Amino acid sequence: MLYSALVYKRAILPRTPVFPKLNERLTTSRKSPPMLKIHNSLKREKQVFTPIEPGKVRMYVCGMTVYDYCHLGHARVMVVFDMVYRWLKASGYDVTYVRNIPDIADQIIKRPGYGKLSGKSLDDLRAGERVEVDSAKQDPLDFVLWKHAKAGEPAWQSPWGDGRPGWHIECSAMSSKLLGQHFDIHGGGQDLQFPHHENEIAQSEGAHQCSFVNYWMHNGFVRVDNEKMSKSLGNFFTIRTVLERYDAEVVRFFILRAQYRSPLNYSDAHLDDAKRSLDSLYFTLRDVPPAAIAIDWNNEFAARFAAALNEDFDSSGAIAVLFELAAEANRQKSGELAGLLKALGGVIGLLEREPQAYLQGGAAAGPAAAGRVRTLPRGLGLAGAGDLKRPPVLAVRSAESPPALRAWW
């Protein structure tokens, strides 16, 4: 069994020779981080973000279980929290970002939990129990911490017998090991709010006797015909399938132009529209060569761009500012404004390519697009992709004891 965590401890920003001062400017242009508001799922409201340690953010995001090809719903969580990471860095924070990738899909024990995060009462949970209660449970709300192995299954020795960690324990163990028992932000898809994140809270706070996470963030579903995209419904589109038709940056743009908590409706028509919109921004950069500038956050466009992202990471509002800026750059034929457009787009992982290169290859096709999937396509802007610096990877493995519990013994 291998549970791996991707640990980001430094800025993951593009190498952009055209803008040699941009990286420095992004991390030093403000004397102190601005007022950021985050919708906290735990409190069900937007709250001003205050890190536990001034100037530093510790963030954990649940990754996918790699038992099959990833679909567009998985892409959304990766792109959304990459954008969150980038904006925290651009705001001057020293960010440690941890993401897990489990490689064993345990059978999920349905409807356990205590209700604090999801808003469900214990009575609601018991009333909603639709499966026969395991005879080993003392209460229907009990959930597995250690799963006894059946014949032929992966197993490790433990004080509780041969087996492996339950589904929820890996994240509690990894986050406490790498970020501490109490950290700032925990994120993931909306579908993980219950039971997975609910149970993380229960076991972590039970083990450590302290608050687990201050801010919980959950991105909305990707939907097809008003239903959640999922493998169980058979209505999902894998990332590699989508990239056979669309450039990776178009997919990233499609994801980011919706506010991360809102539903994202998938269709070819919506992706076609996203392509036309992204094309128009690159047309501006082609027709008005961008000047090499550093971002002046006092500039009207930059200030409104920042204000949008500080309002619960509203990438939709930030992208709207990019279009206003592009229109003005075209009207004035201003290289300075075009340079600001490119620099602001780069903050959220867009507009990082040479315009002609994008416009000539923007309609991704066949083998070229499919080949980019395995290397995390640079257009998606994810850490470790393309011309981004590869983050250090921490992969823990033990033949004697599963790493997900080793930190707890």
Side-chain angles (χ1 to χ4, degrees):
M1 181 186 303
L2 174 65
Y3 291 107
S4 62
L6 302 183
V7 185
Y8 303 67
K9 292 189 177 180
R10 61 177 181 266
I12 300 178
L13 295 169
R15 299 191 193 106
T16 47
V18 176
F19 300 97
K21 296 182 180 179
L22 176 57
N23 289 4
E24 178 183 357
R25 183 66 173 175
L26 288 177
T27 57
T28 63
S29 60
R30 295 186 178 99
K31 293 182 180 179
S32 61
M35 183 175 290
L36 168 66
K37 287 187 286 186
I38 298 176
H39 185 275
N40 188 351
S41 301
L42 187 64
K43 302 297 183 180
R44 296 170 185 78
E45 65 180 9
K46 287 183 185 178
Q47 296 181 319
V48 173
F49 176 66
T50 304
I52 296 170
E53 185 177 354
K56 296 186 177 182
V57 178
R58 288 169 289 159
M59 180 172 73
Y60 185 93
V61 174
C62 289
M64 69 289 294
T65 302
V66 288
Y67 63 90
D68 202 349
Y69 293 129
C70 296
H71 58 64
L72 204 58
H74 297 130
R76 188 179 195 188
V77 70
M78 306 299 279
V79 168
V80 162
F81 286 99
D82 180 74
M83 178 269 295
V84 168
Y85 171 83
R86 285 170 176 264
W87 183 240
L88 290 170
K89 290 295 298 183
S91 297
Y93 288 108
D94 177 11
V95 185
T96 301
Y97 173 19
V98 178
R99 201 172 66 216
N100 77 313
I101 304 176
D103 73 340
I104 289 184
D106 294 341
Q107 180 182 1
I108 299 172
I109 306 300
K110 294 186 177 180
R111 300 196 181 282
Y114 297 106
K116 181 164 76 169
L117 181 64
S118 59
K120 299 176 184 290
S121 68
L122 296 183
D123 288 340
D124 288 339
L125 294 172
R126 292 190 175 96
E129 185 64 46
R130 295 183 181 179
V131 297
E132 183 178 354
V133 177
D134 191 306
S135 60
K137 289 188 176 184
Q138 297 180 7
D139 188 284
L141 305 183
D142 290 348
F143 58 91
V144 171
L145 293 177
W146 181 258
K147 187 177 180 65
H148 290 291
K150 297 177 183 178
E153 291 183 341
W156 288 261
Q157 294 180 347
S158 81
W160 313 284
D162 291 352
R164 63 184 184 275
W167 176 39
H168 313 293
I169 200 74
E170 68 194 69
C171 293
S172 290
M174 281 187 176
S175 60
S176 64
K177 176 74 172 180
L178 298 170
L179 300 176
Q181 297 174 3
H182 180 207
F183 57 93
D184 298 291
I185 298 173
H186 195 313
Q190 185 180 334
D191 55 326
L192 296 181
Q193 186 170 340
F194 179 85
H196 181 49
H197 289 166
E198 197 78 76
N199 290 347
E200 277 192 68
I201 292 174
Q203 62 198 9
S204 297
E205 295 187 355
H208 301 308
Q209 296 297 300
C210 67
S211 179
F212 180 38
V213 174
N214 284 358
Y215 300 86
W216 286 85
M217 296 178 62
H218 295 93
N219 65 272
F221 294 129
V222 176
R223 306 182 74 84
V224 179
D225 295 330
N226 294 317
E227 289 187 310
K228 172 195 169 187
M229 181 181 289
S230 70
K231 293 177 180 176
S232 61
L233 293 175
N235 65 346
F236 68 95
F237 296 86
T238 65
I239 297 173
R240 63 176 56 208
T241 298
V242 174
L243 293 185
E244 289 175 359
R245 293 194 57 189
Y246 298 97
D247 183 84
E249 189 173 357
V250 171
V251 178
R252 182 180 178 91
F253 181 87
F254 166 71
I255 291 171
L256 291 181
R257 73 173 182 174
Q259 209 279 345
Y260 77 89
R261 289 188 293 111
S262 65
L264 181 62
N265 292 310
Y266 172 87
S267 71
D268 286 351
H270 288 150
L271 276 165
D272 288 340
D273 182 67
K275 181 185 182 304
R276 288 190 294 269
S277 297
L278 184 61
D279 286 355
S280 71
L281 295 177
Y282 269 110
F283 283 138
T284 297
L285 297 178
R286 181 198 64 184
D287 298 340
V288 184
I293 67 163
I295 297 174
D296 177 4
W297 292 104
N298 294 314
N299 173 279
E300 175 194 356
F301 292 105
R304 289 197 287 119
F305 180 90
L309 290 174
N310 282 330
E311 191 65 32
D312 193 29
F313 303 101
D314 182 11
S315 55
S316 176
I319 287 175
V321 174
L322 296 183
F323 281 100
E324 295 178 26
L325 179 54
E328 191 63 21
N330 278 318
R331 189 182 69 83
Q332 297 186 27
K333 301 300 180 185
S334 169
E336 291 290 321
L337 292 179
L340 181 60
L341 171 64
K342 184 173 179 68
L344 290 177
V347 171
I348 56 175
L350 298 172
L351 306 179
E352 296 178 327
R353 286 185 273 181
E354 289 299 318
Q356 201 60 34
Y358 165 80
L359 293 168
Q360 289 178 347
R372 286 198 296 269
V373 180
R374 292 184 291 275
T375 58
L376 288 175
R378 63 181 292 180
L380 281 178
L382 301 180
D387 60 1
L388 301 183
K389 294 180 180 178
R390 180 172 297 278
V393 176
L394 172 64
V396 284
R397 188 178 192 124
S398 170
E400 299 177 356
S401 63
L405 278 186
R406 186 169 59 191
W408 283 51
W409 290 358

